[in-house]
Amino acid sequence: MVPSLLFEIMLIGLLGIGSQWLAWRYRMPAIVVMSVTGLLVGPILGIINPEEDFGRLYGSIISVAVAIILFEGSLNLSFKELRGLGKPVFRISTVGAFIAWILGSLTAHYIAGLSWAVAFVIGGLFIVTGPTVIMPLLRQSKLKPRPAKILKWEGIIVDPIGALLAVFAFEIIAYFTSSNPDGSALLLFFAASIFAGIFGWVCGRGIGWMFETGHVPEFLKSPVVFVVVILCFTFADEIMHETGLLSVTAMGITLANMGISSVSDMRHFKENITILLISAIFIMLTASLQMDTLLHIFNPNIIGYVLLMMFAVRPLSIFLSTIGSGLTTNEKFLVGWIAPRGIVALTVSSYFASILTEAGYEDAAILTTLTFGLVFFTVLAHGFSIGWLAKKLNLSMEGRPGSIIVGSNDFTVELAKSLAKANVPIVIVDNSWERLRAARESGIPFYHEDVLSEQTEYNLDTIPYEYLIAATTSNSYNALVCTTFMPEYGRTNVFKVSPYNREYGTSKEIVSKVGGRVLFKKEVSLDDLIEKIEKGYVFRQTTITEQFSYKQYLKDKDEETVFLYLIKPSGQIKYYSEEMRTVPGKGDTIVSLMPPNKEKAKIEARLDGGMNE
């Protein structure tokens, strides 16, 4: 029975998001899982063929999705990020792209056996990486900020440049091979490219102005942005194919650097949409491939071409273009290796395969196979190697998940000390030098700024930190901080101290119902915790063993003991919260705040006895 189109749409969404979840659950590269899933349900098992089933809509769906993904990526390109990185990013996006184009074209001609015309078209296209493949890798690998920003900027900026280089190469070929050369087509290409950039800038400024002056209500802002993105892409693309990518990139960068708060507020919503689109598009593209295409990628010429692109063309273009740019050798090695190709390469190559074939270049028929070979091998190789290579080059932030503590006081400083002793990355953020004095004197890493300020977003490196704890004396501020960072860190990783009040009990105000999870006990407020520190309460670690079980620990603990967090054998941290129902097991280490009384001595004696048995 042939599945209906509705069933196929459901299946694509289910497989795409399922692949993302599987990759997250087992720490695998998401783009690899999505590609393999698409191949299984498409050419291998023959369950779906989106290109055939969607008909004329297939190309339009892919194009619109690519436009939205590229816009969302460019919306993160604030020029403030480029402090100290402007030179290498500019060099890689210009000189590096040109070197990669020339070397890639030579490789395509001499190794893959393509004619000069087809080689230069595909050489221009294959300089792209793109946010569809770079963003999932960066999300998984936890690179240090410098290489991560370089790869992100290159992926987004070079995407439209690669497509435009391919169009430019085609127009040059058409001009020189024509029996009656006419330069008007070349002039149209340059004029259309300039127009696309200006049109994208105008769309970005227009949206920004409408938002700032209140001409668009809050509930319509996201729909308006998406409609204008599609308008921006389509209008430019109708004038000249592939200039739409340049237009939406210009629009995104313009909005990103206008400093409009409402655009930042929509960022997480757009990121969620982008993840859904990337998941669906990867499934659709790989499921639409033919079995002949898969088998043909093992042709020795294609494999040789792919290997040279990965191990020679990419590293050479990066090393040559970044001479004197300030990048370290390790950064050059990493950036020179990571260059996975993705959706733009697949979609644009299929377009050029058809028009070049129609123009009489029969060797263009293998472009789809060549592109898929490069996409599949780079996604596979770079997806599985980026984390390992980053660690070897000391460019990874891997390690125990760290915590950002908002608010400096006696309790948070002591909490930070205990986390630091457990080799957990920690930073205390506060906008008062006076309150930060204890942290400074204790050698605890700190950041002097309001955590909600724009400066913090750009100056505080948040990559090592997976948890956020709001522990200021203002319950309403704690709730605001948690609400702000919940989309970024996740609901289970954002905590606030209890707004409990001794006189009135559990607060019935809105601050007790919004924001993150309540830390420790709901009946223990920040004032209570600070008071315990002042009374001499101590942080104590207890490891659960076969001889000393968790039940025994609960039986022997003092009633005043406050469970703080749990350290799993893997190094993972779990903060105590009544909402999380954390149950320690064998090998787990419980860190608690215990009173310095005789009961503590009794527990220590029992613990020592249990461990020595």
Side-chain angles (χ1 to χ4, degrees):
M1 178 175 138
V2 179
S4 67
L5 196 58
L6 179 61
F7 178 84
E8 189 165 333
I9 293 172
M10 178 278 298
L11 186 61
I12 290 170
L14 185 65
L15 292 173
I17 298 302
S19 298
Q20 291 271 10
W21 178 85
L22 197 66
W24 165 81
R25 180 67 179 80
Y26 295 102
R27 295 182 174 272
M28 294 187 294
I31 48 179
V32 174
V33 179
M34 290 186 291
S35 300
V36 172
T37 302
L39 293 176
L40 284 174
V41 298
I44 295 176
L45 299 178
I47 298 174
I48 59 173
N49 187 336
E51 184 175 16
E52 183 180 300
D53 299 336
F54 282 81
R56 292 180 61 188
L57 285 175
Y58 176 81
S60 300
I61 292 171
I62 299 291
S63 296
V64 169
V66 170
I68 293 172
I69 292 167
L70 195 56
F71 168 76
E72 192 278 328
S74 60
L75 204 58
N76 295 310
L77 298 184
S78 171
F79 293 131
K80 293 180 181 179
E81 279 193 355
L82 287 179
R83 292 171 183 166
L85 291 175
K87 184 182 287 187
V89 168
F90 177 77
R91 293 267 198 90
I92 291 171
S93 302
T94 52
V95 178
F98 179 77
I99 294 173
W101 179 26
I102 300 302
L103 294 180
S105 301
L106 293 173
T107 306
H109 176 71
Y110 288 109
I111 304 300
L114 298 178
S115 62
W116 281 113
V118 178
F120 270 95
V121 171
I122 207 66
L125 175 61
F126 283 170
I127 70 171
V128 304
T129 52
T132 59
V133 283
I134 284 296
M135 294 307 186
L137 286 187
L138 296 181
R139 194 178 298 118
Q140 139 209 345
S141 60
K142 295 183 180 179
L143 292 180
K144 287 184 177 179
R146 280 172 57 90
K149 289 176 182 178
I150 291 171
L151 288 170
K152 181 181 76 172
W153 273 81
E154 181 205 7
I156 296 168
I157 294 295
V158 176
D159 236 23
I161 293 177
L164 289 176
L165 276 180
V167 175
F168 174 68
F170 177 76
E171 295 297 340
I172 288 289
I173 291 163
Y175 176 79
F176 283 108
T177 56
S178 174
S179 56
N180 186 22
D182 183 6
S184 59
L186 283 175
L187 290 176
L188 176 62
F189 165 76
F190 288 113
S193 300
I194 294 170
F195 170 78
I198 295 174
F199 185 60
W201 177 83
V202 169
C203 287
R205 296 295 298 184
I207 287 290
W209 176 81
M210 291 176 69
F211 284 7
E212 286 182 318
T213 54
H215 283 80
V216 180
E218 201 66 34
F219 74 96
L220 274 181
K221 286 184 176 179
S222 289
V224 165
V225 167
F226 278 106
V227 168
V228 175
V229 168
I230 296 172
L231 164 70
C232 184
F233 173 80
T234 305
F235 195 70
D237 216 56
E238 287 293 314
I239 296 175
M240 173 68 71
H241 210 299
E242 306 308 332
T243 58
L245 298 177
L246 175 63
S247 195
V248 294
T249 302
M251 177 182 169
I253 293 176
T254 301
L255 277 172
N257 290 279
M258 289 182 68
I260 303 171
S261 59
S262 54
V263 172
S264 300
D265 294 339
M266 292 187 293
R267 184 174 298 164
H268 296 295
F269 170 71
K270 295 189 292 294
E271 286 176 352
N272 292 336
I273 294 295
T274 298
I275 289 173
L276 180 62
L277 289 174
I278 290 175
S279 304
I281 298 307
F282 256 103
I283 298 294
M284 290 176 65
L285 286 172
T286 51
S288 298
L289 294 169
Q290 302 298 319
M291 185 59 75
D292 291 343
T293 301
L294 296 184
L295 297 176
H296 197 50
I297 65 173
F298 296 104
N299 182 296
N301 288 351
I302 292 179
I303 291 178
Y305 170 77
V306 170
L307 292 176
L308 277 176
M309 288 291 288
M310 292 171 61
F311 291 97
V313 173
R314 170 66 178 184
L316 274 174
S317 66
I318 295 299
F319 272 85
L320 292 175
S321 64
T322 56
I323 294 174
S325 66
L327 288 188
T328 66
T329 303
N330 284 0
E331 288 171 337
K332 291 180 182 180
F333 267 112
L334 182 69
V335 176
W337 169 244
I338 303 299
R341 275 61 168 192
I343 291 174
V344 171
L346 279 171
T347 54
V348 178
S349 69
S350 62
Y351 163 74
F352 280 110
S354 60
I355 64 171
L356 285 168
T357 303
E358 290 174 3
Y361 297 97
E362 296 181 0
D363 56 327
I366 71 165
L367 286 187
T368 302
T369 302
L370 195 68
T371 306
F372 177 71
L374 186 62
V375 168
F376 186 75
F377 285 118
T378 54
V379 162
L380 200 66
H382 300 152
F384 279 110
S385 66
I386 184 170
W388 173 84
L389 184 61
K391 289 179 183 177
K392 291 293 184 183
L393 297 175
N394 195 29
L395 295 174
S396 172
M397 299 298 294
E398 282 285 0
R400 288 187 172 181
S403 300
I404 295 177
I405 300 178
V406 182
S408 181
N409 49 65
D410 290 343
F411 170 72
T412 57
V413 170
E414 293 301 320
L415 176 64
K417 285 181 182 178
S418 74
L419 289 166
K421 287 179 181 177
N423 296 319
V424 174
I426 194 76
V427 64
I428 294 180
V429 181
D430 203 303
N431 62 357
S432 168
W433 281 112
E434 181 62 29
R435 289 193 294 267
L436 283 169
R437 178 187 296 176
R440 301 200 312 268
E441 292 175 351
S442 301
I444 299 297
F446 66 90
Y447 180 76
H448 176 238
E449 189 62 75
D450 190 319
V451 74
L452 297 177
S453 74
E454 186 179 356
Q455 293 302 316
T456 300
E457 180 181 353
Y458 295 112
N459 295 329
L460 178 62
D461 175 23
T462 60
I463 292 177
Y465 311 107
E466 293 187 11
Y467 299 101
L468 182 138
I469 297 172
T472 72
T473 55
S474 171
N475 292 326
S476 57
Y477 184 76
N478 292 337
L480 178 61
V481 168
C482 290
T483 302
T484 302
F485 286 95
M486 195 178 293
E488 182 176 346
Y489 286 86
R491 187 173 297 274
T492 59
N493 291 357
V494 175
F495 300 90
K496 64 184 178 185
V497 291
S498 174
Y500 179 80
N501 185 287
R502 293 180 185 177
E503 182 178 352
Y504 300 106
T506 302
S507 173
K508 301 297 182 184
E509 297 176 359
I510 188 65
V511 294
S512 66
K513 299 177 175 62
V514 299
R517 297 172 181 265
V518 174
L519 269 176
F520 319 137
K521 293 181 179 179
K522 291 183 179 179
E523 296 79 16
V524 179
S525 67
L526 179 62
D527 290 337
D528 296 326
L529 293 168
I530 293 174
E531 185 178 305
K532 291 179 186 298
I533 295 298
E534 292 173 348
K535 288 181 177 180
Y537 277 56
V538 294
F539 286 77
R540 193 154 308 277
Q541 292 189 1
T542 306
T543 302
I544 302 301
T545 63
E546 290 183 0
Q547 292 78 21
F548 189 77
S549 67
Y550 181 55
K551 288 184 179 180
Q552 188 66 46
Y553 176 81
L554 292 177
K555 179 180 177 181
D556 289 347
K557 77 176 182 64
D558 189 282
E559 290 183 359
E560 294 298 317
T561 295
V562 178
F563 291 158
L564 300 177
Y565 58 91
L566 191 69
I567 304 177
K568 306 292 287 185
S570 62
Q572 183 183 8
I573 298 292
K574 284 186 175 292
Y575 287 98
Y576 270 94
S577 171
E578 292 182 6
E579 301 173 33
M580 296 189 72
R581 311 271 187 235
T582 303
V583 179
K586 178 185 174 182
D588 294 342
T589 299
I590 301 171
V591 179
S592 55
L593 188 61
M594 302 178 68
N597 53 23
K598 295 180 180 180
E599 182 67 16
K600 181 192 73 174
K602 186 173 79 171
I603 293 175
E604 286 180 336
R606 191 170 295 224
L607 284 174
D608 292 337
M611 292 183 179
N612 292 328
E613 287 180 7

